[in-house]
Amino acid sequence: MGTLWIVSSGPGSLQQLTPAAIKAIATADVIIGNAFYLEMLEPLIRNKQVIRSSMGKEVDRAKEAARLAADHNVAMITGGDAGVYGMASIVLEVVEHEFPNTDVEVIPGVTAATAAASRLGSPLSGDYVTLSLSDLLTPWEMIEKRLNLAFQMGVPVALYNPKSRGRPLNLGKAINIAMQYRSPETPVGVVKNVFRDGEEAFCVTLASLGENDELVDMHSILIIGGEETRFWEDNGDVKGIITPRGYHRKYVY
């Protein structure tokens, strides 16, 4: 009997892989995953049996991985963190329903929100909310309800899957909801292709993003600041975004 590792590949750079993820990949007989994520791991998966899949084949991929784990060590590769919009839930559900004796281990990784935050400064810092604007698996009515509740909390909100060709208007709807609870001058960070080729980071205001969101695409992660979030400046130049954690309320510095 083999082991099925659900391996988080992080934001895309090999330097962001955890030692546990590297060990699982090295130990696995079979590597399976979306072709986009496997391409980033090419130096680590040479001379392995590699099964490449495409978007929309997540259930088939999960079943194949669980079936192979009966007599192979299998590494199911998923981007970011497996448990945050990744493959962990569907793999565990398939195992629970069809392959109950499978030995499964989830290997955590760096998720897009924290990866993007590191490129912006410290826009999250304390409490924050992550929401996906993809309505492929979640009805838009539910997403809209969650957006309203999240922005009422006054904490930063990280938006995954903000815009694609199939849903170009969802980001605008989300910004309109944010504007009901946030100042137009609220800092917003946009990071594209974080830790990958073509990486770009932008710091804009909520109002300016509402006027023009062309800089955002499916490879972007957005962080909309909370009530205390401010721009990080150096001699008048914006270097990034800071959300104070609250030390200023307890200490003098």
Side-chain angles (χ1 to χ4, degrees):
M1 182 176 176
T3 297
L4 172 54
W5 291 289
I6 308 172
V7 180
S8 305
S9 64
S13 168
L14 294 181
Q15 294 181 344
Q16 303 303 317
L17 281 172
T18 67
I22 294 172
K23 181 179 179 181
I25 292 170
T27 306
D29 307 309
V30 181
I31 309 293
I32 183 169
N34 182 287
F36 176 76
Y37 300 118
L38 294 183
E39 183 178 350
M40 300 177 191
L41 302 179
E42 191 62 38
L44 302 180
I45 62 176
R46 294 171 184 154
N47 304 317
K48 299 277 187 181
Q49 180 184 345
V50 179
I51 300 174
R52 291 175 170 82
S53 181
S54 60
M55 293 292 288
K57 301 291 185 180
E58 289 82 6
V59 175
D60 293 340
R61 198 183 314 152
K63 289 183 177 182
E64 179 73 355
R67 183 187 65 79
L68 288 169
D71 48 16
H72 296 82
N73 289 325
V74 179
M76 160 66 76
I77 307 298
T78 180
D81 181 276
V84 183
Y85 309 118
M87 287 291 295
S89 63
I90 184 58
V91 172
L92 295 178
E93 287 181 87
V94 166
V95 167
E96 180 184 40
H97 295 158
E98 300 184 36
F99 305 89
N101 296 318
T102 304
D103 181 19
V104 186
E105 181 180 354
V106 180
I107 308 294
V110 179
T111 187
T114 53
S118 73
R119 293 313 210 196
L120 295 167
S122 187
L124 300 179
S125 302
D127 299 328
Y128 69 94
V129 174
T130 62
L131 285 170
S132 170
L133 297 189
S134 172
D135 53 7
L136 292 177
L137 300 176
T138 304
W140 177 253
E141 293 75 17
M142 187 177 295
I143 295 172
E144 193 171 49
K145 176 182 177 181
R146 291 172 179 175
L147 286 166
N148 274 282
L149 293 171
F151 287 116
Q152 287 181 62
M153 292 173 64
V155 300
V157 176
L159 296 179
Y160 286 60
N161 307 312
K163 188 166 66 171
S164 69
R165 294 176 183 176
R167 48 180 183 280
L169 303 180
N170 286 6
L171 177 58
K173 295 176 184 177
I175 292 172
N176 287 337
I177 293 172
M179 291 285 284
Q180 298 177 38
Y181 308 100
R182 293 283 194 280
S183 161
E185 300 305 308
T186 298
V188 179
V190 180
V191 184
K192 302 170 70 169
N193 298 306
V194 62
F195 287 106
R196 301 194 296 268
D197 290 342
E199 178 183 282
E200 295 180 283
F202 306 91
C203 295
V204 298
T205 66
L206 184 60
S208 65
L209 187 63
E211 293 171 0
N212 186 350
D213 64 10
E214 290 183 2
L215 60 87
V216 181
D217 60 18
M218 190 59 183
H219 301 293
S220 305
I221 180 82
L222 267 69
I223 297 178
I224 298 177
E227 293 173 343
E228 295 187 86
T229 302
R230 59 179 174 81
F231 287 116
W232 168 26
E233 298 186 355
D234 183 9
N235 294 322
D237 295 327
V238 174
K239 295 185 66 176
I241 297 173
I242 297 174
T243 299
R245 190 175 173 193
Y247 288 103
H248 61 287
R249 287 190 283 270
K250 188 173 182 181
Y251 303 102
V252 176
Y253 56 90

